[in-house]
Amino acid sequence: RCLISTGRGTVQLGVALRAAASDAGDLAVAARLLGFDLTTDRIKAGSPMLAEANDVLLDLVADHIDVAVFEQTIGSAAMQSIQPARGAVAVLDALQDEGVACAVVTNDWASVTTGQLAALGLHDRFVTVVGSDSGFGAKPDPAMVFGALAAIGVEPSCALLVGDTSHDIRAGQAAGVSTALVTNGSVPDAATADLADFVITTLDELIPILT
């Protein structure tokens, strides 16, 4: 069985920050807190945007931007630019052919992730979506992993969690499932790579492992 974890991916964070900040000073502080480079419009390595729960992110910047505007703008921008991670459709096709049950475990909100999967035409590939608003807390706490395992009826020893952050790998390890770190072509953090059972570049590299 396969337990797939997804990250936020790259979103138009700069658009949302600029829309939600009332002045340049607050914009600069919010960008720094979220690990975002306003010059290049890129998320920096180690940014909390890559792993932390939405509530944590909003708390970080609540004193500097209008969080309601930020949420609305970033949600709209993300939906306009959303696309599957490299190899995602191929591995999901292969797992569906094998009858493998899949779930999403994400520190984003479940409602947001469900909408994104629906927009991609992939929502029916997953038994459940467990988000940071699903009552299980957020990674690296393993509770949401256990929640997803219960939904798909799989024991931890029979599951694999796939993620791209240390929060993902640590949550999987704490839950007793196998883990795979996907780098998407980036140089992985050495400590996180050492924790993972597998290190892959793109998701389709899971096919020979899981089928």
Side-chain angles (χ1 to χ4, degrees), residues 14 21 33 37 129 131:
L33 291 171
D37 189 326
V129 175

Side-chain angles (χ1 to χ4, degrees), residues 12-36:
Q12 296 181 20
L13 180 55
V15 174
L17 281 172
R18 291 181 177 95
S22 60
D23 58 54
D26 277 339
L27 173 62
V29 173
R32 176 177 58 79
L33 291 171
L34 293 180
F36 184 76

Side-chain angles (χ1 to χ4, degrees), residues 8-15 36 41 43 49 74 77-79 81 116:
R8 285 181 182 79
T10 301
V11 296
Q12 296 181 20
L13 180 55
V15 174
F36 184 76
D41 272 359
I43 296 174
M49 283 294 298
I74 202 168
M79 288 299 289
S81 61
Q116 293 172 345

